[in-house]
Amino acid sequence: MRRARGLLSAVVVLLALLVPASAHAAPSPGASPTAAEDDPATKGLTRTSLDLGGGEAQANALGPVGIPGASICQRFYIYSYRAARYVSEEQGYTGSSHNMLRARSTAGALGTWEHFRLCAYNGRTDTIYIQASSGYLVTAEYGYSGNLRGMMRGRGEWPGVWEVFEVWSDAGVYYLRNQSTKGWVSVRVDMTGSSANMLRANGASAGPWEMLAFTSVA
């Protein structure tokens, strides 16, 4: 009997040695993604610095808010490939939707509401914050719930965690991802009415709804 138990123990030890290490490291269902799985570079994207060389070097002081500290900024139009429209800040909206960002303008209808200043954050041009034409910073509203969670609108007065975005690209197409939550900026073409093509920073991945282009304002 002792001999049988000894043989069984030896078999168990041998099997443990033969099992590949990756089998032991497999995540359980529902586990959070690892850093490697969360890295967009594994999906073919490249962390990209924007060309702000011709931008404005200044202490941000555009009304109605003032942002201390010098930064390099450049004015751009933001174009959504999926919606085939340019992004506008809805300054005519009121309440919690005031200054909502929507991709709703055609090339022939561009005005000041479509002007956005993309600014280097802490001296890095692959990490930015965005100042809308209202003077406020574009904020991802993670305090909202339901279909409004992550809604982007101009209301920030300081580049904090809800206002700072990473810049990624693939074959000349740009993607923005919130630095804190890792939510991708997505144009919600599935929404209707006054929320049609709303920008929300809660996309799970960089896909067609997240494809953007930046064109300098002349």
Side-chain angles (χ1 to χ4, degrees):
M1 188 67 174
R2 291 178 184 171
R3 180 179 175 80
R5 285 200 294 268
L7 288 173
L8 180 60
S9 297
V11 170
V12 170
V13 171
L14 181 60
L15 287 174
L17 292 173
L18 291 175
V19 173
S22 60
H24 295 288
S28 60
S32 298
T34 64
E37 292 170 336
D38 187 52
D39 184 2
T42 64
K43 308 289 195 306
L45 273 65
T46 302
R47 189 70 177 266
T48 304
S49 293
L50 292 177
D51 182 7
L52 304 180
E56 306 152 338
Q58 63 179 33
N60 291 295
L62 294 183
V65 299
I67 308 163
S71 186
I72 300 297
C73 303
Q74 178 72 282
R75 286 191 301 165
F76 289 95
Y77 296 115
I78 302 175
Y79 180 79
S80 163
Y81 284 98
R82 181 63 179 82
R85 291 288 189 276
Y86 289 88
V87 176
S88 178
E89 181 189 36
E90 297 288 7
Q91 297 177 22
Y93 285 10
T94 59
S96 60
S97 294
H98 182 53
N99 293 346
M100 174 198 292
L101 265 58
R102 290 202 303 135
R104 56 91 166 163
S105 299
T106 62
L110 297 178
T112 58
W113 288 9
E114 288 75 36
H115 291 188
F116 295 91
R117 297 176 72 243
L118 275 56
C119 303
Y121 178 69
N122 282 344
R124 294 188 57 167
T125 56
D126 64 348
T127 306
I128 64 169
Y129 61 91
I130 304 170
Q131 189 172 41
S133 64
S134 63
Y136 288 102
L137 302 189
V138 174
T139 296
E141 298 286 9
Y142 293 115
Y144 289 5
S145 59
N147 287 336
L148 298 181
R149 177 169 172 75
M151 181 183 80
M152 296 182 66
R153 68 187 186 105
R155 67 95 173 163
E157 299 183 12
W158 185 266
V161 293
W162 289 3
E163 290 80 25
V164 177
F165 298 88
E166 303 167 354
V167 182
W168 294 84
S169 70
D170 179 27
V173 175
Y174 289 97
Y175 304 86
L176 296 179
R177 186 173 77 156
N178 182 265
Q179 187 179 49
S180 175
T181 67
K182 307 306 181 186
W184 295 93
V185 173
S186 180
V187 176
R188 297 305 303 260
V189 296
D190 58 329
M191 301 183 75
T192 59
S194 61
S195 295
N197 298 344
M198 174 203 300
L199 269 65
R200 291 170 57 190
N202 65 345
S205 60
W209 291 12
E210 290 74 32
M211 297 169 63
L212 301 171
F214 303 132
T215 305
S216 294
V217 176

